[in-house]
Amino acid sequence: MALSMHVGARVPAVHGAQLSAPFLSCTALAKDERRKRWTLRSGCKPTVAQAASTTDVQKTPEIHTSSSAMPPFHLAFPVSDLKQTKSFYGSLLGCPEGRSAAGWVDYNLFGHQIVCHQVKGYNANASANAVDGDPVPVPHFGLALSVQQFHDLAERVKQADVQFVIQPHLRFKGQPGEQWTMFFKDPSGNALEFKAMTTPENLFAKYYVS
C-alpha cells in the first residue's frame, strides 16, 4: 500500500521529524472542475500532447496520481501492546497522536488516519512474495515519500536501531517503476514499507514487470 503526496497546503508540522503531508485544497479542486466544464462547453480541442496515443507506460493524469486529491485514507489494524505502539508510531515515526481510549489509539500518518487496536496475544504473521528479488512481507502498508523524505526516515530508523526486514535500496533500476524502498516492522510484527519513486509521476504507471 503506497500513498504519495505532492501539492497543496500542509498539515501541521510533525514534532522531531520532517513528516508533513501536502493536500490539494477544496478551492483548487473546484477551480479544476470549472476549467474542465468550460473546456467541454467551448469545444476546445486537446493539444497534440494531450491527444497522443498511449505507450507501453501509461501515466495516470495528475489529478489521480496524487493522494493530495483524495480523501484521507483510514486504516485500522491490531497491535499487541499500546505502550510500545505509542513509542513506535508517536516517538519514532513522529506521527501526531489523535483520539485514544483504553484499547486503541489513532495517529496522523502524513495526513492519513491509522488506528491501532490492542488485541491481547496478537502477533502478526506475514507471508513473503518475491518482488525484484526481495522477499517482500505480505500484508504490509506504508507510504510513497519524496526521495529526501525517504532517506531522512531511513536514517531516523537506523539511529533507533530498528531492524530492517529489507534494507533501504533502489529497485527496478532503469525501469519506469524505479524506486527506493525499505521494510521494517512495528513492535507487534506489522510490516511497513516506505518507498520513493525516482520519477514521482510514475507511481501509478501501467506496465508489466517481467
Side-chain angles (χ1 to χ4, degrees):
M1 181 179 307
L3 304 165
S4 66
M5 295 81 175
H6 299 289
V7 296
R10 294 184 178 275
V11 297
V14 177
H15 56 278
Q18 298 177 354
L19 304 183
S20 57
F23 277 87
L24 190 64
S25 68
C26 294
T27 301
L29 285 172
K31 288 181 179 178
D32 182 71
E33 287 302 316
R34 289 198 296 272
R35 176 186 58 77
K36 288 187 289 186
R37 287 198 296 270
W38 178 86
T39 301
L40 291 174
R41 288 198 303 270
S42 63
C44 291
K45 295 182 179 180
T47 63
V48 173
Q50 291 171 330
S53 60
T54 57
T55 61
D56 290 340
V57 178
Q58 301 175 4
K59 295 180 181 179
T60 310
E62 180 62 25
I63 192 68
H64 297 300
T65 58
S66 170
S67 65
S68 59
M70 303 178 187
F73 190 81
H74 166 77
L75 174 68
F77 54 93
V79 297
S80 57
D81 186 285
L82 278 184
K83 184 177 180 180
Q84 292 180 338
T85 295
K86 289 184 176 183
S87 176
F88 182 84
Y89 289 97
S91 299
L92 173 59
L93 295 187
C95 299
E97 183 176 327
R99 298 170 301 159
S100 63
W104 57 269
V105 59
D106 66 31
Y107 288 100
N108 176 348
L109 179 66
F110 282 68
H112 299 274
Q113 184 194 51
I114 59 173
V115 187
C116 312
H117 291 270
Q118 181 166 289
V119 177
K120 187 176 181 179
Y122 172 76
N123 185 24
N125 291 316
S127 301
N129 189 31
V131 178
D132 200 34
D134 293 325
V136 169
V138 179
H140 66 261
F141 68 94
L143 291 170
L145 309 173
S146 69
V147 172
Q148 185 60 56
Q149 286 175 319
F150 175 90
H151 290 296
D152 288 346
L153 180 58
E155 183 60 29
R156 186 183 183 92
V157 172
K158 289 177 183 177
Q159 292 298 322
D161 292 324
V162 173
Q163 182 177 357
F164 287 102
V165 176
I166 297 177
Q167 291 282 339
H169 71 288
L170 189 66
R171 70 182 176 195
F172 300 131
K173 294 179 181 179
Q175 300 181 47
E178 183 178 88
Q179 60 191 259
W180 289 94
T181 183
M182 60 180 162
F183 286 80
F184 51 89
K185 294 184 177 182
D186 71 10
S188 299
N190 297 303
L192 291 89
E193 177 191 15
F194 291 88
K195 64 171 64 179
M197 304 295 294
T198 56
T199 305
E201 58 266 32
N202 281 352
L203 179 61
F204 295 106
K206 182 179 180 180
Y207 76 104
Y208 183 78
V209 181
S210 59

